[in-house]
Amino acid sequence: MKNYVILSGAGLSAESGLATFRDSGGLWEGHDPMAVATPEAFARDPDLVQRFYNERRAGLLGAKPNAAHKALAKFEQEIATKGGTVLLVTQNVDDLLERAGAKNILHMHGELFKIRCTQCHDHFLWKQDLSTQTPCPSCKAQSLRPAIVWFGEMPLYMEEIERALLKADLFISIGTSGSVYPAAGFVDMARARGTDCIELNLEPSDNHHLFTKTIYGPAGDIVPRWVEEELKGI
Ligand code: OAD
């Protein structure tokens, strides 16, 4: 039975109403990403950064998983019953895969509904607004920040992801522009081992030429269709 690694990006959640990063003229929800998604931006203007993520959190509360999230959750379950594995590696900070019922998920860029304390390093589930004055529930310091990996910070779970890529029989990339490393390099790692790689995206990504197969269209259409085909073939 096969082992699958499925990488996803903002395109997976686009049809749930969550904005992608590079489809709107370089702005992300009206902001320059460098002004809101870097440690330097947080040091310079923490109120702006907290407000920006408060809006993202509120937006996510109103969003729902789409057909692509649901198809991936179903795929994970069906493959598990047949003795295979599916690892869902996502660059997305939303929880729509979880809400669709998926379990084996690694959020390499962090999670919007989590915050962390820069003093005591505790993490907390957090769905409401956060301000620079909010005290840490553990140590009471006013040192809370979104548990998001910002530009210039180290993505999470890299060792686990690399281990999974080493034993993957198929690597699938969904809804990502292939422009942010290290995620954009996973296809190279998989190809170096001779692993088949499939791209599912609205349009060719920056590294589409590295994939053995490409399927283009909205994720809500092409992901459920790919899942049905793959399940039929095993
Ligand atoms: P991007 O915004 O760079 O790319 C989104 C991709 O999804 C593009 O290639 C679109 O063509 C595609 N797309 C848009 N709508 C789609 C749809 N309905 N169905 C399928 N595909 C669709 O987003 P990411 O590749 O996720 O990092 O960006 C990677 C990282 O860059 C993000 O995680 C974030 C950002 O900076 C951090 O915040 C650290």
Side-chain angles (χ1 to χ4, degrees):
M1 194 50 215
K2 284 186 187 169
N3 298 310
Y4 298 82
V5 174
I6 303 181
L7 171 71
S8 56
L12 176 67
S13 298
E15 287 152 81
S16 295
L18 302 180
T20 61
F21 297 89
R22 289 172 187 81
D23 292 324
S24 53
L27 291 186
W28 170 35
E29 299 280 4
H31 289 264
D32 169 2
M34 293 300 155
V36 287
T38 63
E40 293 76 18
F42 190 56
R44 194 170 50 237
D45 193 347
D47 291 318
L48 170 74
V49 174
Q50 296 287 23
R51 263 200 320 276
F52 178 78
Y53 283 100
N54 288 343
E55 285 170 21
R56 305 283 73 71
R57 245 178 253 120
L60 180 53
L61 280 173
K64 291 195 175 67
N66 65 47
H69 298 108
K70 291 176 193 167
L72 291 176
K74 173 185 165 184
F75 186 64
E76 182 195 73
Q77 272 168 18
E78 301 247 338
I79 293 298
T81 63
K82 294 177 199 300
T85 65
V86 176
L87 177 64
L88 297 165
V89 177
T90 187
Q91 299 166 88
N92 297 344
V93 297
D94 65 61
D95 66 343
L96 298 179
L97 279 168
E98 283 89 342
R99 280 197 257 158
K103 300 271 184 284
N104 203 15
I105 306 163
L106 294 179
H107 284 275
M108 60 181 293
H109 290 168
E111 292 171 72
L112 194 49
F113 283 155
K114 291 199 178 144
I115 61 167
R116 65 182 172 88
C117 177
T118 58
Q119 289 292 311
C120 71
H121 306 294
D122 266 3
H123 283 67
F124 309 94
L125 191 65
W126 200 269
K127 296 193 175 180
Q128 62 272 43
D129 282 355
L130 183 63
S131 90
T132 46
Q133 273 84 51
T134 312
C136 168
S138 288
C139 74
K140 310 297 176 217
Q142 292 175 333
S143 305
L144 294 167
R145 59 160 278 182
I148 301 271
V149 175
W150 286 327
F151 291 103
E153 295 183 325
M154 198 57 138
L156 308 169
Y157 310 113
M158 285 307 296
E159 278 182 22
E160 278 156 272
I161 296 168
E162 283 173 23
R163 266 202 307 275
L165 282 170
L166 283 177
K167 62 169 194 151
D169 300 295
L170 195 54
F171 171 72
I172 302 109
S173 172
I174 302 175
T176 176
S177 58
S179 53
V180 175
Y181 284 80
F186 294 167
V187 61
D188 280 313
M189 291 170 61
R191 279 298 294 277
R193 297 192 63 250
T195 307
D196 277 337
C197 299
I198 306 180
E199 166 163 284
L200 288 93
N201 205 31
L202 193 57
E203 60 198 8
S205 71
D206 289 1
N207 45 22
H208 66 97
H209 54 281
L210 296 171
F211 289 86
T212 28
K213 183 175 176 186
T214 53
I215 303 171
Y216 297 118
D221 293 345
I222 61 176
V223 174
R225 225 178 304 139
W226 176 80
V227 162
E228 288 309 319
E229 287 299 310
E230 185 67 21
L231 288 174
K232 250 190 260 161
I234 50 176

